[in-house]
Each structure stands twice: as C-alpha cells, then as structure tokens.
Amino acid sequence: METARECGGAPVFAANLERVSEIEALFAAVDRHFGRLDGLVNNAARFTRLDPLDMTEADWDFVHNVNLKATFFCCREAGRRMKAQGYGRIVNISSLGGLRPWAGHAHYCASKAGVIMLTQSLAKSFGPGVTVNSVAPGVIPFGESIAGLDGIIRSTPAARTGTGEEIADAVTYFLSASDFLTGQVLAVDGGLSLR
C-alpha cells in the first residue's frame, strides 16, 4: 500500500501467487481496470538458507512455487494478452544466485536459474513484438544491516553493495527498450559475477 501511495494512488491488485487460479483472477482484474497490459515485472520471490541434506519437499516447494511456478504463470497470462495486442515487455527478476552456485541455497539457486532459462525460452516463444528479459541483482540490502558482507564487498569491483534504485533503473531500461533486445540477462551486481 505504501508503494501505491508513492505512485500517486496507483490501484493495488492482490493474489496468492502460489495459486494459478488467483493469478488468472489477478490478470482478469487488471484487464477490467486498464483494458490492456503493456508491461509486467515479476519481482515476487522467497529466499531461505537450508542445508540441502536437511531440505524437505515443503522447503523446496515453498521457494519454487513463488520464484519459478508463479513467474511462469504470470508470464503466461501476460504473454496471452501481449501477443494478442502485438506489443509487450516482460522483465523477470532473477538473481546472481541463478548464475553462480551458493552453498546453503540449492533450492533458491535452482529456482532463479530456472527463471533465467524461462526468460530465454519465452523470449523465443513470445516474439516478435513481445520481449522477455531478466535482471539479475547482486547484493542489494533492503533495510537490512550490511554487517558480515565485508568479504563480498571486497570481492566486488564496485567495492559496495547495490541499491534498489539501481535495480529499478535496469528494469526501466528493459521496459522501454526496442523489441530487438530480448532474451537477455543483465547482472546488476557491481561486477561481483566476474570473480
């Protein structure tokens, strides 16, 4: 609700993204309100740390149901509308964890690697006119302390963590880019993926 206020009273549409029926209802509500859909940013995600040897099916599903399954079905619903109108921009938020393996995050890394391959597959399926790209953030603290991140910061060529505004800039770029830019993954990570 705070974001809606910051955006001049933008309408809010809510859904439990673990349920495909609610995703479908969400897009139907957007249709009724706006009449068309030009852009989609899949940003919802879950992040947990678990030893893979202790992981349960419920732990796996908790992350994958939102990070990968919901991303696909939101893309499906947006893609149907965008293909019908001949124009659209989809941006999926993946992660540096989808490009590099992290111990203790096998389920998260697998889900975000899936988002990257999904992005590329759908870019081939939805073109022309509809683009699908991905932004892969590095370390972006949101209100958390950066204590304990000294080693990562030293390993980052930019020598700092990133900001939400820097991720938003990358998303905005993809939302406004030509349809000649599709199926791409942009790591916004200060160069951390180079190490």
Side-chain angles (χ1 to χ4, degrees):
M1 299 307 253
E2 180 181 335
T3 302
R5 282 192 297 277
E6 289 175 3
C7 294
V12 175
F13 303 91
N16 177 347
L17 296 178
E18 290 185 283
R19 301 185 189 283
V20 175
S21 61
E22 290 199 33
I23 291 171
E24 292 168 343
L26 171 77
F27 279 83
V30 169
D31 284 343
R32 286 190 298 274
H33 186 83
F34 291 107
R36 66 179 284 132
L37 178 66
D38 292 323
L40 169 69
V41 179
N42 279 305
N43 186 46
R46 289 175 169 162
F47 180 83
T48 59
R49 180 183 183 91
L50 288 166
D51 184 323
L53 299 177
D54 297 328
M55 195 176 303
T56 66
E57 181 179 6
D59 295 328
W60 179 271
D61 290 345
F62 178 77
V63 167
H64 278 255
N65 282 348
V66 171
N67 293 13
L68 186 55
K69 177 182 168 184
T71 297
F72 169 75
F73 283 102
C74 286
C75 284
R76 185 195 72 179
E77 290 302 303
R80 287 174 173 171
R81 290 154 174 84
M82 292 172 177
K83 284 297 289 179
Q85 69 195 21
Y87 176 87
R89 301 289 180 264
I90 297 173
V91 183
N92 296 322
I93 304 299
S94 55
S95 170
L96 189 56
L99 298 168
R100 299 285 183 267
W102 297 340
H105 299 285
H107 56 329
Y108 176 80
C109 290
S111 74
K112 290 302 188 173
V115 169
I116 289 169
M117 187 53 66
L118 179 66
T119 295
Q120 294 171 339
S121 296
L122 294 180
K124 291 180 82 171
S125 296
F126 290 177
V130 178
T131 65
V132 189
N133 291 291
S134 180
V135 173
V139 180
I140 315 290
F142 284 99
E144 313 101 43
S145 165
I146 61 169
L149 296 177
D150 292 344
I152 292 174
I153 292 170
R154 279 193 304 274
S155 298
T156 303
R160 64 177 178 84
T161 60
T163 66
E165 290 79 13
E166 289 166 322
I167 302 306
D169 286 346
V171 169
T172 301
Y173 171 69
F174 279 136
L175 288 173
S176 60
S178 82
D179 66 356
F180 204 60
L181 183 62
T182 192
Q184 301 305 303
V185 179
L186 178 58
V188 182
D189 64 357
L192 182 59
S193 56
L194 302 175
R195 69 175 192 161

